[in-house]
Amino acid sequence: MGNIVVFGAGGTAGSQIAQEAFQRGHRVTAAVRRPEATTSYLPAGVQVVTGDATSERSVRELAPEADALVVAIGGGERGLWLDAARTLVSALRETPNPPRIIHLGGGATLCTPQGDRFLDEPDFPQEYRDAALGQADALAYYRSEADGVRWTYVSPPPLEFHPGARTGHYRTGGDHPVTDHEGRSVLSYQDMAVAIVDEIENPRHENTRFTAAY
C-alpha cells in the first residue's frame, strides 16, 4: 500500500479522497491549515497535520515519505491554484524519488462540443470565474512548466458535481466531459475519490489531464 498526502483534506472533496484511500489500506496524511477543525470527520487512522500546498517548506517536509501528493484545495483568490502548482513542482524537483502530483482541478476548464472552454462561455456564472481561471492557470502551468515532475490533473464534470452515493463506477475522458445518453455529465464527490485513488494505484494519465463521470 502507498503513502498518500491529501492537501485540503478538510474540504468536501479532499475528505472523501482521504477516506477512500484510507479504506483501501493506504497510509493517509491529511494536510490542512487548521487540524483542530478536521479530526472529527476523518477516520481515526488518518494522520492529520498542519500543511499548506502553497508553502514550499510544508511540501518539502511531507514529500519524502509520500507516493502521491493530492491537491484538493478550494477557496481563496485566483492565484491560489497556480501558487500551489508552482510550489509543488519547485519542491519536488529537489526531492529524491519525488511523489506524483494529483491535482483535483476545475470542470470549467473542460471544452464544449465547439472546442471552447466552459469558463469562456458568455453565460458562465461570474461568481465562479476567478476560481475557474485560477484552475485554468494551474493546468496551463503543469502542461508547460512541469518538466521532470510526474503530475495528473483531474477535472470533475463542469456542472453536476456534488456529494452523493459511492457506486465505484465511472468513465473517463480527456479534454471534453464524459456524458450519458441524455448528454449529462454527472459525478458524485465519492466516485471522484474512487477515480483519483484508482489513478494513484494504477497510473493511466501521467503528465496529462483526465475527467470522469458516469
Side-chain angles (χ1 to χ4, degrees):
M1 293 293 99
N3 296 330
I4 299 171
V5 175
V6 182
F7 288 100
T12 305
S15 63
Q16 291 295 331
I17 296 165
Q19 290 181 54
E20 177 70 25
F22 179 77
Q23 289 165 2
R24 295 201 202 182
H26 295 286
R27 177 183 174 189
V28 179
T29 300
V32 297
R33 293 183 176 181
R34 295 177 57 232
E36 70 279 2
T38 304
T39 56
S40 61
Y41 55 88
L42 288 173
V46 171
Q47 181 184 14
V48 181
V49 301
T50 301
D52 183 351
T54 66
S55 165
E56 190 156 331
R57 177 180 178 181
S58 182
V59 175
R60 287 181 183 276
E61 289 176 349
L62 293 168
E65 300 299 321
D67 297 298
L69 301 180
V70 178
V71 182
I73 57 177
E77 299 178 352
R78 173 176 174 175
L80 173 68
W81 294 276
L82 178 58
D83 285 348
R86 284 174 168 164
T87 299
L88 288 158
V89 169
S90 176
L92 296 191
R93 281 181 173 148
E94 304 299 324
T95 301
N97 301 313
R100 291 177 65 197
I101 300 168
I102 308 291
H103 184 118
L104 177 57
T109 61
L110 292 167
C111 297
T112 69
Q114 292 73 38
D116 299 319
R117 298 178 303 181
F118 280 87
L119 66 89
D120 296 322
E121 292 291 283
D123 59 349
F124 187 81
Q126 188 63 33
E127 61 266 31
Y128 301 128
R129 186 170 299 280
D130 277 355
L133 288 169
Q135 290 284 20
D137 293 341
L139 176 59
Y141 177 81
Y142 285 122
R143 285 175 163 170
S144 63
E145 303 290 340
D147 294 344
V149 174
R150 295 176 300 147
W151 60 272
T152 299
Y153 186 103
V154 189
S155 286
L159 297 175
E160 298 188 67
F161 180 48
H162 41 67
R166 182 194 186 282
T167 71
H169 300 289
Y170 61 89
R171 294 176 294 142
T172 61
D175 287 331
H176 292 81
V178 174
T179 57
D180 62 17
H181 65 281
E182 296 178 346
R184 297 175 61 198
S185 182
V186 183
L187 193 67
S188 70
Y189 280 82
Q190 287 80 353
D191 282 329
M192 175 55 80
V194 173
I196 286 174
V197 180
D198 283 350
E199 176 65 26
I200 293 171
E201 293 179 345
N202 299 290
R204 295 190 299 152
H205 302 94
E206 284 197 359
N207 300 333
T208 190
R209 184 254 289 275
F210 80 93
T211 185
Y214 297 125

